[in-house]
Amino acid sequence: MHIIVATHNEESVRQAIQRMKDFSISPENGLVFFGQLLGMCDQVSYPLGQAGYLVVKSIPYGSVEDTLPYLSRRAQENRSVIQAVRKERTLLWKEYKRRVLRR
């Protein structure tokens, strides 16, 4: 059996990691995956991957007419996505300044 923790919520990810530790489930054993929609919450996905956790990205496929309602519902269901987008924008700007502007 495998488990996928499909969330864009950072607190839910922290809780899942803590539960893995509580049950002595190592990131490398392949039992637990973390998943998000492609292009969303990379500030959650990248550190997970760097720490050895398995991360998958879901890719909605279809026409804009078919996929936009789905993506809108996901954003409405998880209000933390908007907050996460703001955080990701801040992190990207910080990295841009570090790399390009050398600040």
Side-chain angles (χ1 to χ4, degrees):
M1 179 172 77
H2 298 282
I3 298 168
I4 184 164
V5 179
T7 183
H8 297 107
N9 184 287
E10 291 181 65
E11 181 57 29
S12 296
V13 169
R14 279 193 283 276
Q15 288 179 18
I17 290 171
Q18 184 57 51
R19 297 300 288 171
M20 289 174 69
K21 290 176 183 174
D22 293 346
F23 288 101
S24 301
I25 301 171
S26 73
E28 297 85 19
N29 76 1
L31 178 64
V32 178
F33 292 77
F34 290 87
Q36 293 89 29
L37 289 168
L38 182 65
M40 294 181 75
C41 296
D42 290 335
Q43 82 278 2
V44 173
S45 306
Y46 291 153
L48 283 169
Q50 290 171 340
Y53 293 93
L54 299 172
V55 178
V56 295
K57 290 290 192 168
S58 173
I59 304 171
Y61 176 80
S63 68
V64 172
E65 293 81 20
D66 291 336
T67 57
L68 197 55
Y70 169 80
L71 294 172
S72 296
R73 285 192 306 274
R74 299 295 77 76
Q76 288 173 351
E77 290 170 358
N78 192 348
R79 294 181 192 265
S80 67
V81 169
I82 293 170
Q83 187 178 21
V85 168
R86 287 186 186 125
K87 181 177 181 178
E88 190 165 357
R89 182 182 60 200
T90 300
L91 292 171
L92 287 170
W93 178 244
K94 182 179 175 180
E95 185 63 15
Y96 171 79
K97 288 191 302 186
R98 185 184 74 79
R99 289 185 189 192
V100 177
L101 304 178
R102 306 274 188 221
R103 292 185 195 170

